[in-house]
Amino acid sequence: RAMLVGGCVRDGLMGSSPKDFDLEMYGIEPQKLKEILEGFGRVDAVGESFTVYKLGNEIDVSIPRRERKVARGHKGFVVEGDPEMSFEEAAKRRDFTINAIMQDALTGEIIDCFGGQEDIQKGILRVVDEKTFIEDSLRVLRAAQFAARFEFEVEDETVEICRTIDVTDLPSERIW
């Protein structure tokens, strides 16, 4: 099953045209997925720890994955793909509820396990899962970026979570 995920779904629900599309493919092994995608043209495989297949400049295709923190920094993760992962488990690794909404690429069905649509309507930025959120210091900067870009209020608990995260591991160019 092909599910649009992340910013392209969020942007569409907010009335904006997405600039790119992320597809998570469920129920298919990575090698078979690559073979199918090659039927559409050139496929570039990118990613240091987990393969994402790029079709042109606008479409990224991957299988669902889980991440585990193993080292300091926002790149210190081991990533494992799992094509049989549930939608809820896959969405749980996302940073904010507004980015954890999925949409079936063929039927248009929305799957929103964490209340992201309601948070969009209320103009609230809220963490999906504290345990996974705190593993990536870059998410603190993303909170500030999304709050400013969308003029959203950051939920109080999310603010408190962000305050506990050490951001000294972030490269200065990311902070800039």
Side-chain angles (χ1 to χ4, degrees):
R1 193 164 175 194
M3 302 300 291
L4 292 163
V5 296
C8 65
V9 178
R10 176 202 64 226
D11 292 349
L13 291 171
M14 293 177 68
S16 300
S17 295
K19 58 182 180 253
D20 55 27
F21 298 88
D22 293 324
L23 275 171
E24 277 185 350
M25 303 298 291
Y26 290 77
I28 188 169
E29 293 299 321
Q31 187 56 40
K32 180 68 175 168
L33 174 59
K34 183 178 181 193
E35 290 170 15
I36 291 169
L37 293 174
E38 286 172 340
F40 293 97
R42 180 183 162 151
V43 175
D44 292 318
V46 297
E48 295 173 21
S49 59
F50 182 79
T51 304
V52 174
Y53 302 111
K54 295 189 83 58
L55 296 174
N57 293 325
E58 297 176 353
I59 302 174
D60 290 354
V61 183
S62 64
I63 63 171
R65 58 194 183 264
R66 63 181 57 85
E67 300 158 351
R68 185 171 36 91
K69 185 77 165 177
V70 294
R72 183 168 158 79
H74 71 281
K75 293 184 178 181
F77 291 90
V78 170
V79 183
E80 173 188 42
D82 181 356
E84 302 306 321
M85 186 180 292
S86 71
F87 293 146
E88 183 173 351
E89 186 180 357
K92 190 173 185 177
R93 76 173 180 79
R94 303 240 169 227
D95 51 7
F96 303 103
T97 60
I98 65 171
N99 294 330
I101 306 165
M102 301 179 175
Q103 184 175 20
D104 187 296
L106 298 177
T107 67
E109 175 190 4
I110 296 287
I111 296 176
D112 183 6
C113 301
F114 297 100
Q117 291 177 99
E118 184 177 336
D119 287 348
I120 287 171
Q121 291 171 351
K122 291 180 176 178
I124 294 174
L125 195 62
R126 185 169 51 94
V127 165
V128 172
D129 180 61
E130 179 178 358
K131 289 181 186 117
T132 58
F133 187 87
I134 64 173
E135 292 181 336
D136 188 352
S137 55
L138 185 59
R139 290 176 165 184
V140 176
L141 295 182
R142 287 174 56 87
Q145 175 199 16
F146 288 134
R149 184 190 332 164
F150 301 130
E151 298 180 359
F152 277 21
E153 289 292 321
V154 181
E155 177 222 22
D156 290 342
E157 187 176 329
T158 297
V159 170
E160 292 308 314
I161 292 167
C162 286
R163 286 183 175 147
T164 69
I165 299 172
D166 178 9
V167 295
T168 60
D169 63 338
L170 292 173
S172 57
E173 62 271 10
R174 290 305 284 254
I175 295 170
W176 175 249

